[in-house]
Amino acid sequence: MAAGQPPPLEPSPLPTFAEEGFGEKFMRKTRENPLVPLGCLCTVGVLAYGIISFTRGNTRRSQLMMRARVLAQGFTFAALLGGMVVTAIKSR
């Protein structure tokens, strides 16, 4: 074994970051992965239209919108997973 300096007894200090508020964090995350908020908005829009159709008695349109909501949720989930994969690849 090579003799050298022993490791320091105290751990190295952690880096400090500026405090980030909700608005700044939301905007940063939206810039990093813009498809997730878009998918969320689509999901909410389709859900609202489906509920409106249901209350008006248009059951056929309501069922169609609930199926579209499932597709929009799937898109949002895929965008979230894709963003996580991209972030993991970037960090390497």
Side-chain angles (χ1 to χ4, degrees):
M1 282 204 208
Q5 289 282 26
L9 294 177
E10 296 190 22
S12 60
L14 296 173
T16 57
F17 298 102
E19 280 296 316
E20 186 176 40
F22 176 77
E24 293 100 16
K25 185 174 183 178
F26 179 78
M27 290 308 294
R28 179 176 56 85
K29 293 286 189 177
T30 301
R31 279 191 298 271
E32 288 174 3
N33 194 0
L35 294 178
V36 172
L38 180 67
C40 290
L41 287 174
C42 288
T43 302
V44 169
V46 170
L47 176 64
Y49 188 61
I51 290 173
I52 290 169
S53 296
F54 181 75
T55 57
R56 290 185 180 166
N58 191 348
T59 57
R60 184 173 175 89
R61 176 66 51 117
S62 174
Q63 281 293 316
L64 183 66
M65 289 298 107
M66 290 304 113
R67 291 176 185 155
R69 177 193 55 87
V70 171
L71 289 175
Q73 281 179 313
F75 170 78
T76 304
F77 184 72
L80 184 63
L81 241 63
M84 289 172 55
V85 168
V86 168
T87 301
I89 290 172
K90 277 183 183 178
S91 68
R92 286 186 179 189

